[in-house]
Amino acid sequence: LSTEVEAVNMEEITGAQIIAEALKAQNVEYMFGIVGVPVIEVAMAVQGVGIKYVGMRNEQAACYAASAVGYLTGRPAVCLVVSGPGLIHALGGMANANMNCWPVVVIGGSSDQNQETMGAFQEFPQVEACRLYSKFSARPSSLEAIPSVIEKAVRSSIYGRPGACYVDVSGDMVTARVDRARVRAAPCCPPPPVSLAHPKAVTEAVAMLKTSKQPLVIVGKGAAYSRAEDEVQELVELCGLPFLPTPMGKGVLPDDHPQCVAAARSRALLQADVVVLLGARLNWILHFGLPPRFNPQVKVIQVDICAEELGNNVKPAVALLGDIRNVVSQLLGCFRKDAWRYQSDTMWWRSLKEKMNANERIENDALAAHSSVPMNYYTVFHHIAELLPHDCIIVSEGANTMDIGRTMLYNRLPRHRLDAGTFGTMGVGLGFAIAAALVESGRKTCQRVVCVEGDSAFGFSGMEVETMCRYKLPVIIIVVNNNGIYSGVDPHTWDELGKMGDLTTIAPPVTLLPEARYDQVMAAFGGQGFFVRTPQELRSALQLCLDDWERPSLLNVLIDPASDRKQQLCLSPYLS
């Protein structure tokens, strides 16, 4: 009789349901992926518990999207992939998330456990492979252990330096059943613990700043991730300090802030005697902090959440280990108690403003006003900048498109610029844009998402326009089309090359098909497509797109294939 009662009271639950409920318990809101054997049931189960599932067209783009949600919200999204090739496609997104320090959890289906080493369908050493690209990689030992492993993956992705984590689930575990009472539930992991710098180091940093002759604050995307915008703005304004944002540090303080010296970037880096590094790394983007781009005697006050980062390439004069927001609050406490302000009439400020004015005159007078057809980069960005809302999220990738756009398209709000990032990854744009549009759709003050792409960059993930159309995401994609990678050729030249013989032995490797109709790709799926040649067509089409909140749009903007960065100034955040 007791056995019969136990059987009646026993509630069986599948592995897929356990995964879904465990993710829900960890406050996961979004899952991106491509379903197939053995993970279809997982996607269905997460929808059943209220998690939003977004079906993508490529696992790389799915992982890029999931990681962008982690950066924008501070809580990881999940990328769901099938075994073998499906997971391998997602490795690029995991590596990109790890390099950018963005939280993401990847869940991969794998071969049935009883078929391991037998040559099973899509068998691959997935846990081992993911260890190279993640902070944590594991397979639950049983159905009962799934919640605790998922909790650790979510926690590891956001604690310390954020990054990617991987959970492997064999196919037989997805459909297997177990008594719910035997499953060990794991409570939601709390937000990352607050960490503060040592008070003595904070005092040393304040004293060093007060004695500096040519100070500079560099604001990195770590400051954006830590939600430090209010504290950083107060520090900069209270102390009268010039600041320079890294590419994704743009918007922590507005780009048009009077103390932003981005237009004099090279001079600011070269001549600063004290640099306050807020959540930025001295890697290739900042020329490793070394001569000839930095002063050999520069003193670096380095603020970072990761102890291992302190001292990379340049030994800091003062190392402040802790969360950016909290450490800046510590600095502010000292400056509020003992007020100090760097004067605006110093030679340093005059030198920076002189260089900024000279660079801006060259850009505006010599290039942005260029009105001939085909347009150049600067003409295109000049008109785009005049029409874009100040609060829009700008996604940008490409070579010249990203570098020039960074200087001409201003960001005025934090976490409103997503680009190729620390890893310099091409193909991230559409995944990032989808993620941003989904996050914005859930907010009361929904803001436009504008994705500015080079034509080569668009090709990496162009089929994701179908994803945008399917979910009715009103993303505006602007493809700046120069017919190639870095540069291309015009249709006449392409035809002449074709007459000379086999294009595989004649066509320059950087060339793409001239005047390719990317706009028709968007239109094929029900979005708006515009083929643009002139400034007037650009302005008209962009305004129509901005007025339409019902569907995505793509502007295929043709520019001179020979258009390039101006030679007078080096604007690249990576090369200048």
Side-chain angles (χ1 to χ4, degrees), residues 151-224:
E151 186 276 339
K152 185 169 184 180
V154 170
R155 174 164 43 86
S156 298
S157 76
I158 58 176
Y159 277 36
R161 172 179 278 179
C165 293
Y166 176 67
V167 177
D168 191 80
V169 183
S170 63
D172 51 335
M173 291 183 75
V174 172
T175 55
R177 293 177 175 271
V178 67
D179 181 2
R180 181 185 285 276
R182 293 175 54 191
V183 178
R184 301 190 298 269
C188 182
C189 73
V194 172
S195 53
L196 298 171
H198 195 286
K200 182 180 177 182
V202 173
T203 301
E204 291 175 1
V206 169
M208 185 170 292
L209 257 181
K210 288 182 176 180
T211 59
S212 64
K213 303 297 183 185
Q214 298 179 168
L216 177 67
V217 176
I218 298 179
V219 182
K221 68 174 175 287

Side-chain angles (χ1 to χ4, degrees), residues 523-541:
F525 295 112
Q528 291 193 99
F530 298 89
F531 193 58
V532 172
R533 291 183 184 273
T534 69
Q536 294 76 20
E537 291 173 349
L538 172 59
R539 296 182 71 92
S540 174

Side-chain angles (χ1 to χ4, degrees), residues 18-79:
I18 296 171
I19 293 168
E21 292 180 12
L23 292 172
K24 186 68 173 179
Q26 299 304 320
N27 288 338
V28 171
E29 293 187 50
Y30 296 96
M31 174 181 280
F32 301 83
I34 298 178
V35 295
V37 176
V39 298
I40 295 175
E41 292 86 353
V42 175
M44 296 170 67
V46 300
Q47 288 181 316
V49 298
I51 294 173
K52 298 179 177 68
Y53 175 80
V54 182
M56 304 286 283
R57 302 304 300 265
N58 182 280
E59 289 91 351
Q60 273 192 356
C63 201
Y64 295 146
S67 67
V69 168
Y71 172 67
L72 294 169
T73 68
R75 202 78 185 178
V78 170
C79 174

Side-chain angles (χ1 to χ4, degrees), residues 233-244:
Q233 183 162 351
E234 184 178 352
L235 176 68
V236 165
E237 293 177 349
L238 181 67
C239 297
L241 298 169
F243 75 90
L244 176 70

Side-chain angles (χ1 to χ4, degrees), residues 381 384 387-389 391-397 409 411 416-418 429 432-433 436-437 447-453 468 474-479 542 545-546 553 555:
F381 285 119
I384 292 173
L387 291 177
L388 287 189
D391 62 357
C392 71
I393 295 176
I394 298 173
V395 181
S396 183
E397 64 171 332
L409 301 180
N411 293 95
H416 275 55
R417 177 180 170 86
L418 303 170
F432 284 1
Q447 296 163 350
R448 292 312 302 248
V449 176
V450 180
C451 187
V452 185
E453 303 261 313
M468 295 177 181
V475 175
I476 299 172
I477 302 172
I478 302 173
V479 177
L542 182 52
C545 297
L546 289 168
S553 307
L555 284 70

Side-chain angles (χ1 to χ4, degrees), residues 141-397:
S141 58
S142 64
L143 294 179
E144 295 89 335
I146 286 174
S148 61
V149 172
I150 285 179
E151 186 276 339
K152 185 169 184 180
V154 170
R155 174 164 43 86
S156 298
S157 76
I158 58 176
Y159 277 36
R161 172 179 278 179
C165 293
Y166 176 67
V167 177
D168 191 80
V169 183
S170 63
D172 51 335
M173 291 183 75
V174 172
T175 55
R177 293 177 175 271
V178 67
D179 181 2
R180 181 185 285 276
R182 293 175 54 191
V183 178
R184 301 190 298 269
C188 182
C189 73
V194 172
S195 53
L196 298 171
H198 195 286
K200 182 180 177 182
V202 173
T203 301
E204 291 175 1
V206 169
M208 185 170 292
L209 257 181
K210 288 182 176 180
T211 59
S212 64
K213 303 297 183 185
Q214 298 179 168
L216 177 67
V217 176
I218 298 179
V219 182
K221 68 174 175 287
Y225 181 81
S226 72
R227 275 62 181 167
E229 52 267 20
D230 292 340
E231 290 77 10
V232 173
Q233 183 162 351
E234 184 178 352
L235 176 68
V236 165
E237 293 177 349
L238 181 67
C239 297
L241 298 169
F243 75 90
L244 176 70
T246 63
M248 272 192 280
K250 283 163 56 71
V252 173
L253 279 75
D255 283 343
D256 55 3
H257 191 286
Q259 289 165 243
C260 179
V261 296
R265 182 181 190 272
S266 294
R267 179 172 292 184
L269 293 178
L270 178 60
Q271 298 182 8
D273 64 350
V274 173
V275 169
V276 182
L277 203 60
L278 299 178
R281 289 170 279 179
L282 291 176
N283 55 21
W284 64 282
I285 293 177
L286 287 174
H287 320 292
F288 313 104
L290 298 173
R293 307 314 297 264
F294 276 73
N295 178 351
Q297 281 77 47
V298 67
K299 296 177 180 177
V300 176
I301 299 170
Q302 188 172 8
V303 185
D304 205 283
I305 198 170
C306 177
E308 290 83 355
E309 186 63 39
L310 300 172
N312 275 348
N313 297 318
V314 175
K315 181 180 179 181
V318 181
L320 300 175
L321 176 63
D323 174 73
I324 307 298
R325 182 178 184 182
N326 291 288
V327 173
V328 175
S329 293
Q330 289 179 278
L331 294 170
L332 279 169
C334 295
F335 286 118
R336 292 190 193 112
K337 187 180 298 183
D338 184 12
W340 170 81
R341 182 174 179 82
Y342 185 73
Q343 295 303 309
S344 59
D345 60 351
T346 61
M347 284 292 295
W348 178 228
W349 261 122
R350 287 198 292 273
S351 173
L352 291 173
K353 289 177 179 178
E354 175 188 277
K355 187 63 173 175
M356 289 164 62
N357 290 335
N359 286 352
E360 287 167 358
R361 279 196 301 272
I362 293 171
E363 180 178 299
N364 292 332
D365 296 344
L367 294 159
H370 181 77
S371 58
S372 64
V373 174
M375 296 181 284
N376 65 16
Y377 284 106
Y378 299 92
T379 305
V380 170
F381 285 119
H382 171 76
H383 292 289
I384 292 173
E386 287 192 339
L387 291 177
L388 287 189
H390 285 188
D391 62 357
C392 71
I393 295 176
I394 298 173
V395 181
S396 183
E397 64 171 332

